[in-house]
Amino acid sequence: GLAGHGRAEPPWFFLKPSFWLGDGACRSAEDDGASVRPRSNSAGELGIVSSDLSKRFSRCCSMRRTVRAVDGLSLSINVSEIFCLLGHNGAGKTTLINMVTAQLRPSEGDALVCGSSVNLDAGTVRKRYGCCPQHELLYPELSAHEHLQLFGMLKGRRPSELNALIPELLDQLALK
């Protein structure tokens, strides 16, 4: 079965405003007594901090045999950094990304994304974090401007806000 895969949500989860807009105010794990504590870093503001992040999956139908896809990973990534995750097939790369983007609940540990816990505030994490997987997510029929409008609205931005922001982004990225 699918036990342990994904987050438990009702079948209509994608119709709920919280799926698209988050659950509200950003809560820090420190406020909720969680074990992840961001440390100041002279290199910049921390964007992602994980502490002893682990994920176990049941093997086949036996609940007694488990596989550890991620085993006690701790890391911190600054907001201004580009992070690349490399490893062989089965190393746990996709599992880690799914946990940090709050699509999969960790078996142990926690991660903070811009101060929000993936365990305690998954909706805010989903709203604040974007991930581009290795598959192409661009539509050949849409312009760069239209792509930014589409993905901006999916992340809860208002059209008036996007109309002011998109030309500036296109100019900064030399995509006019």
Side-chain angles (χ1 to χ4, degrees):
L2 295 174
H5 296 274
R7 297 183 78 87
E9 298 282 349
W12 57 87
F13 71 95
F14 64 93
L15 298 173
K16 295 168 44 179
S18 61
F19 177 78
W20 299 101
L21 305 174
D23 290 332
C26 179
R27 289 186 313 239
S28 136
E30 289 183 45
D31 297 337
D32 294 307
S35 62
V36 177
R37 300 280 189 236
R39 292 185 295 264
S40 61
N41 186 333
S42 61
E45 179 185 349
L46 291 173
I48 299 174
V49 179
S50 77
S51 177
D52 295 323
L53 206 57
S54 297
K55 183 62 182 177
R56 292 182 309 274
F57 292 101
S58 296
R59 194 172 217 177
C60 297
C61 299
S62 170
M63 295 303 279
R64 294 182 184 171
R65 296 180 54 162
T66 61
V67 173
R68 276 191 178 265
V70 176
D71 189 12
L73 179 73
S74 295
L75 63 84
S76 48
I77 304 168
N78 291 326
V79 168
S80 60
E81 290 179 338
I82 295 174
F83 176 73
C84 181
L85 189 59
L86 301 174
H88 59 80
N89 289 348
K93 301 177 299 290
T94 301
T95 301
L96 173 63
I97 290 169
N98 287 338
M99 287 190 293
V100 171
T101 57
Q103 296 175 60
L104 186 63
R105 185 177 301 282
S107 300
E108 298 167 13
D110 199 0
L112 296 179
V113 178
C114 298
S116 296
S117 165
V118 298
N119 287 325
L120 302 172
D121 202 1
T124 299
V125 169
R126 286 188 205 108
K127 181 180 177 185
R128 301 181 102 204
Y129 186 82
C131 179
C132 182
Q134 61 191 7
H135 306 290
E136 185 66 51
L137 291 178
L138 301 178
Y139 301 101
E141 302 84 11
L142 299 181
S143 68
H145 187 278
E146 291 166 329
H147 274 96
L148 290 172
Q149 277 183 316
L150 172 66
F151 292 116
M153 287 190 295
L154 287 175
K155 290 301 245 179
R157 299 285 184 125
R158 292 184 308 277
S160 60
E161 181 183 7
L162 291 170
N163 288 337
L165 184 61
I166 289 174
E168 181 181 325
L169 286 173
L170 291 174
D171 186 43
Q172 289 175 352
L173 298 171
L175 291 175
K176 282 188 174 183

